[in-house]
Amino acid sequence: MTILLSRLVVAAAFVGGAFIAVIDPAAIDWKTFLPVVAAGLVGLIVLKVSTGAAARADSVLIANRRILNDSLHAIVLNLEELNGRRDKIPTYEMRFEIDRLFRDDLFAFADARDSLKHIFGLSAYAEIMSSFAAGERYLNRVWSASTDGYVDEVLVYIEKALGQFVEAVDAFDRADTAARKEMSK
């Protein structure tokens, strides 16, 4: 409710400020304009504080931790399976396999990834996301090479993507183990 209300205040302040600014193009009525801008700033601060608190809520972090773990491990399992039969899949069909096998898990991980900072800290977030982003780039490269019919590039980069996602899973598991040990103290 607070988030919705603060968004409305920010939007109303923006529209109100724009309206006040164009009433008289030669002179702005500062006595009216400044309180509207101040209301917008207060709404923006409340919005940032509220969304930050919502992102750190225990229920959100618990749900996102499961989503991150499940999607990351599913990506690696699917990549291992795809890598194992990479030479049996026609090059032009590889992009359809990528869409079918990875789209949902990649989106799920991306939607929940901000929780990594709150669960494991910035250092672990950077380590996990660095490998994840590299793996995702390689997977995108495979998709593009498949579209263009570059067989060798498809075969090389599917294995590189697997290596990066395995590193991401290892980093995630290490951070998860460390966080659980810390919580048990």
Side-chain angles (χ1 to χ4, degrees), residues 62 65 119-120 176-185:
I62 289 169
R65 184 184 217 150
I119 298 169
F120 303 133
D176 193 43
T177 301
R180 290 183 193 279
K181 280 183 183 176
E182 188 67 31
M183 286 177 55
S184 67
K185 288 183 180 177

Side-chain angles (χ1 to χ4, degrees), residues 85-120:
R85 60 184 178 96
R86 66 184 175 181
D87 51 351
K88 296 178 180 74
I89 300 172
T91 301
Y92 289 107
E93 297 297 318
M94 187 63 88
R95 65 181 186 261
F96 300 116
E97 285 296 299
I98 289 171
D99 289 343
R100 185 179 67 80
L101 293 172
F102 301 105
R103 180 179 292 177
D104 293 340
D105 289 321
L106 288 172
F107 283 146
F109 188 89
D111 287 344
R113 70 177 176 237
D114 281 343
S115 291
L116 288 171
K117 293 182 273 188
H118 305 299
I119 298 169
F120 303 133

Side-chain angles (χ1 to χ4, degrees), residues 51-72:
T51 54
R56 290 186 299 274
D58 287 344
S59 60
V60 171
L61 295 179
I62 289 169
N64 283 347
R65 184 184 217 150
R66 185 175 31 79
I67 291 169
L68 291 164
N69 181 59
D70 293 350
S71 60
L72 199 52

